[in-house]
Amino acid sequence: MKTSIKLFVLTSFYVLLNSNFLYAQAYKAPDTIYANDHQQVALFFPAPIRQAVTGAPYMVFTYNKDHPQYFGLLQAKEGAISNLFVIDQQGKVFSFVLKYREDLPHFYYFFTEEDAVGSEAPLKKNSVETAKAKSSPYLERLSEHFLRRAKGTLRRRENSGVVLQVKDIVFHNERFFVVMEINNSSGISYEPDQFGFYISTKKQGKRKSMQTLPLEILYAHSVPEKVLAGTTDRFVVVLPKITLPNNKEIMARLFEKQGARNIELKLFKRHINGSNKGK
């Protein structure tokens, strides 16, 4: 009798486990996630969460930073539409639209690797040093020249008093010299942790997701270790020759070390194809 009960319990547990697995596999993750301020919404990812940031303070996504887990909890107060970026420990990047809603359609969401909008392959500080070591004095002189002459601003994005700008893009000798600037008008020093360029292809369809691939960085000049409060630092990133069709764009992503002041800045066809000629 005891053996029969044990078999029944094990069989029931097996069926329940497989039913939940099949449901998760069949579940189609949406682009838009709804949340409110009196219920928790759980988001489950294929790997533990490494970093996450929302676009507005009234959208709050909490996750375990000390001991990374596969899920995070979302709550929101009524306000304008916002967004959420999540990067897991496998480098997969997830992007969602966030909306407030009094009656929630779901209390949990399961995501797979296929739901990611791209993969992270940022330029880390040791990669910057490697790029410098492999560069020639020729690239260093050119970078310094374009750094000094850059005027105006092509693109800018801000997050909590930290502004990332593209000051100039110069095409010279089959390379793009991108002059960047970090302006820190906040009261706290800013330490760049990871910085990289990515080329994105807009995928058509219901979800309209982005396929993102990292761009090789040929040389990096004067990338700051720290931008003090109230100061500005400029640097140059050298990229290979790029031609952008209408369905592609370039993203510059800057992540803060041990912080959430992360910035994503887009460059379009008109910026790349209309770049200045180097002299």
Side-chain angles (χ1 to χ4, degrees):
M1 182 67 178
K2 290 182 179 180
T3 303
S4 299
I5 293 174
K6 186 182 291 186
L7 286 173
F8 174 77
V9 172
L10 289 174
T11 303
S12 300
F13 178 75
Y14 177 80
V15 171
L16 179 62
L17 187 64
N18 278 274
S19 297
N20 288 335
F21 174 77
L22 290 173
Y23 174 78
Q25 290 294 98
Y27 182 78
K28 188 64 177 177
D31 284 325
T32 302
I33 297 176
Y34 297 92
N36 58 36
D37 56 357
H38 57 275
Q39 294 170 307
Q40 294 278 8
V41 177
L43 277 60
F44 295 86
F45 294 90
I49 299 169
R50 196 191 81 205
Q51 192 171 17
V53 60
T54 59
Y58 49 83
M59 301 284 185
V60 180
F61 183 72
T62 57
Y63 62 100
N64 196 326
K65 298 180 182 179
D66 297 324
H67 304 284
Q69 296 176 308
Y70 288 83
F71 73 97
L73 299 175
L74 177 67
Q75 281 193 313
K77 293 183 178 180
E78 190 168 2
I81 297 173
S82 187
N83 66 331
L84 168 67
F85 282 109
V86 176
I87 303 175
D88 68 20
Q89 291 196 336
Q90 292 181 347
K92 297 293 183 181
V93 181
F94 299 83
S95 177
F96 311 100
V97 174
L98 300 182
K99 290 184 180 181
Y100 177 88
R101 182 168 167 175
E102 187 66 25
D103 299 319
L104 300 182
H106 299 285
F107 295 106
Y108 52 87
Y109 296 86
F110 293 94
F111 304 108
T112 67
E113 291 186 1
E114 287 72 26
D115 295 313
V117 296
S119 296
E120 179 196 29
L123 175 68
K124 298 187 178 183
K125 291 178 182 178
N126 59 349
S127 299
V128 173
E129 297 303 321
T130 301
K132 287 181 180 179
K134 291 182 178 180
S135 68
S136 65
Y138 169 75
L139 284 179
E140 184 176 353
R141 288 195 301 271
L142 276 176
S143 296
E144 187 62 32
H145 170 68
F146 295 137
L147 189 69
R148 289 196 305 267
R149 80 169 199 178
K151 296 179 181 179
T153 300
L154 296 179
R155 293 284 289 169
R156 73 188 300 276
R157 288 298 298 271
E158 179 182 359
N159 188 349
S160 304
V162 177
V163 180
L164 178 66
Q165 299 185 66
V166 175
K167 305 298 291 183
D168 198 8
I169 301 176
V170 182
F171 183 66
H172 179 78
N173 198 14
E174 300 299 305
R175 302 180 182 93
F176 282 98
F177 292 76
V178 185
V179 183
M180 309 288 297
E181 179 180 284
I182 302 175
N183 176 268
N184 183 8
S185 60
S186 71
I188 305 173
S189 296
Y190 186 87
E191 292 188 57
D193 180 37
Q194 298 171 348
F195 178 77
F197 280 90
Y198 307 80
I199 187 164
S200 298
T201 303
K202 300 177 183 178
K203 294 171 67 178
Q204 301 301 317
K206 187 177 180 180
R207 299 201 66 206
K208 296 181 180 179
S209 60
M210 303 289 288
Q211 183 180 6
T212 307
L213 297 172
L215 278 173
E216 180 187 6
I217 294 181
L218 303 177
Y219 175 63
H221 180 72
S222 296
V223 178
E225 294 286 324
K226 179 185 291 187
V227 183
L228 299 176
T231 66
T232 297
D233 278 289
R234 286 189 180 185
F235 59 98
V236 176
V237 176
V238 183
L239 302 174
K241 182 180 179 180
I242 310 161
T243 302
L244 280 183
N246 292 329
N247 68 329
K248 291 188 179 182
E249 59 196 30
I250 290 177
M251 287 189 289
R253 288 174 177 161
L254 175 66
F255 292 90
E256 182 182 19
K257 183 178 181 181
Q258 297 180 343
R261 292 178 293 178
N262 306 320
I263 303 174
E264 183 177 276
L265 184 151
K266 292 183 179 181
L267 295 172
F268 302 103
K269 178 179 178 179
R270 66 180 183 275
H271 300 119
I272 301 301
N273 296 357
S275 60
N276 296 320
K277 302 299 180 183
K279 293 181 180 180

